[in-house]
Amino acid sequence: MNWITNYVRPRINSIFSRREVPENLWSKCEECGTMLFHRELADNLQVCTNCGHHMAIRPSARFAALFDGGNFAEVKVPEPIVDPLKFRDTKKYPDRLKEARTSTGEKEAMLVAEGEVGGTPIVAAAQDFSFMAGSMGMYVGNAIVAASERAIELKRPLVLFSAAGGARMQEGILSLMQMPRTTVALQMLKEQGLPYIVVLTHPTTGGVTASYAMLGDVQIAEPNALICFAGPRVIEQTIREKLPEGFQRAEYLLDHGMLDRVTPRGKLKDELVAILRMLLREPPAAKGEAPAPALPPPEQPVAAPAESTRKAAEPPKAAKPAAKT
């Protein structure tokens, strides 16, 4: 009985029992359907290794790849009033905020940080589409104002990564007020002669496109990013016509003069470094790693003189006279 209990039954259970595999080990590319291992995808900055499709990337991961050595300091953003309109649809607005914070691990839909990119100090802000579709509310407005004020204080350029579905409906008119508010903050930045660069990522729509996302000195977009105010489906239903292929995508907007560059995520850091140094009238960044500084030769210890040498150098002592008897 012990042999059956201790050996046969565990052996049968190990053969037929299902092993639990974490669900987040593999991700499926939305474009080509390739299954991608999570470490391989993270190393490639959330870009499909098969077709080059750019997936959503969190602000913390983006900043870790952007800033030199992954080192950056978060800029504090003032806290707005929570649920000023006491808004409720199928859920209360505070409950939706709590749910978004639990699922994403982020405080809000925008992260502001400062650090160096290619040796050039900057202030950067990035939206998180996974947090309530990156919607623009009072916190996002406060974040852009805080980023602009910090850039002015430190005399640094501002780089913004946009990804949003528009204004946050739960905050009503207060969210729409962030459009002129952020525009004024960015105008203050430009009056100081500081560059403002926008990187539009998929998707950037609604009131975000109608305000701070299209006010950059240089407009860059990631490949195939949807950039629009009203989506293509709404436009087709309104005008009752079929839209051109790739309408409102980054490449289409580049061809029609609304963007300056379309740059893959893996080459974006080098592109930003080159543009920032050009706008700041600085020489191009040096390629490669600088050689380590030469170490000074070690000091040779001074040897103490030998005892025999010291004795030889001393003059001979005079002999004492003999004692008289």
Side-chain angles (χ1 to χ4, degrees):
M1 188 66 180
N2 291 337
W3 177 76
I4 295 176
T5 304
N6 297 334
Y7 179 78
V8 176
R9 184 176 295 171
R11 184 67 175 174
I12 294 174
N13 290 337
S14 65
I15 294 174
F16 291 100
S17 61
R18 294 182 60 186
R19 295 182 179 181
E20 295 184 0
V21 179
E23 296 180 357
N24 59 349
L25 289 181
W26 296 87
S27 298
K28 185 177 181 180
C29 176
E30 301 172 358
E31 192 72 17
C32 65
T34 303
M35 297 301 295
L36 303 167
F37 189 53
H38 71 107
R39 290 180 184 174
E40 181 184 10
L41 191 58
D43 292 341
N44 206 37
L45 301 178
Q46 301 297 317
V47 178
C48 177
T49 56
N50 182 54
C51 67
H53 174 66
H54 285 53
M55 304 179 188
I57 184 172
R58 305 292 290 278
S60 55
R62 185 184 288 278
F63 285 168
L66 175 68
F67 288 106
D68 296 343
N71 299 318
F72 60 90
E74 187 173 345
V75 176
K76 186 177 181 181
V77 177
E79 291 284 344
I81 300 174
V82 179
D83 195 17
L85 303 180
K86 307 299 179 185
F87 190 93
R88 177 170 184 170
D89 45 89
T90 56
K91 292 182 181 179
K92 294 182 179 179
Y93 180 38
D95 294 339
R96 289 194 179 276
L97 285 174
K98 184 177 180 180
E99 182 180 342
R101 287 168 181 164
T102 301
S103 61
T104 63
E106 299 291 343
K107 189 176 183 179
E108 251 285 353
M110 180 167 279
L111 180 65
V112 182
E114 59 185 52
E116 291 188 356
V117 179
T120 303
I122 69 165
V123 176
Q127 285 181 272
D128 187 357
F129 191 79
S130 62
F131 193 102
M132 296 186 68
S135 51
M136 175 185 63
M138 290 186 293
Y139 185 92
V140 171
N142 287 353
I144 296 175
V145 172
S148 301
E149 291 177 346
R150 186 62 174 168
I152 293 172
E153 178 185 354
L154 299 177
K155 303 295 182 184
R156 296 182 178 184
L158 175 60
V159 179
L160 186 139
F161 299 86
S162 65
R168 187 171 296 178
M169 69 173 188
Q170 288 86 352
E171 295 183 12
I173 190 64
L174 297 175
S175 65
L176 297 177
M177 289 172 62
Q178 307 312 310
M179 297 170 63
R181 186 164 175 253
T182 54
T183 302
V184 171
L186 295 173
Q187 181 61 33
M188 294 170 57
L189 183 76
K190 293 186 178 183
E191 289 175 356
Q192 297 297 318
L194 298 172
Y196 172 51
I197 299 177
V198 180
V199 180
L200 300 111
T201 70
H202 178 77
T204 300
T205 62
V208 172
T209 310
S211 55
Y212 58 84
M214 298 302 291
L215 295 177
D217 299 310
V218 179
Q219 298 286 135
I220 307 174
E222 292 184 341
N224 203 37
L226 177 65
I227 304 166
C228 60
F229 180 75
R233 178 174 53 85
V234 176
I235 296 176
E236 283 185 346
Q237 292 176 352
T238 302
I239 65 176
R240 298 180 182 179
E241 291 184 10
K242 187 67 177 176
L243 297 175
E245 186 70 23
F247 183 71
Q248 295 180 319
R249 295 288 173 170
E251 293 76 9
Y252 183 91
L253 298 181
L254 178 65
D255 292 339
H256 288 76
M258 292 190 66
L259 297 176
D260 298 303
R261 302 283 288 177
V262 174
T263 306
R265 192 174 293 165
K267 300 180 180 179
L268 189 56
K269 180 175 180 178
D270 293 338
E271 185 97 340
L272 286 173
V273 170
I275 293 174
L276 286 169
R277 297 183 76 87
M278 185 185 303
L279 294 177
L280 294 172
R281 299 181 180 179
E282 296 180 355
K287 296 291 184 180
E289 296 182 0
L295 297 176
E299 296 181 359
Q300 298 294 335
V302 179
E307 188 70 20
S308 59
T309 306
R310 190 163 50 249
K311 286 183 178 181
E314 292 178 357
K317 295 181 179 180
K320 292 183 179 180
K324 295 181 179 180
T325 55

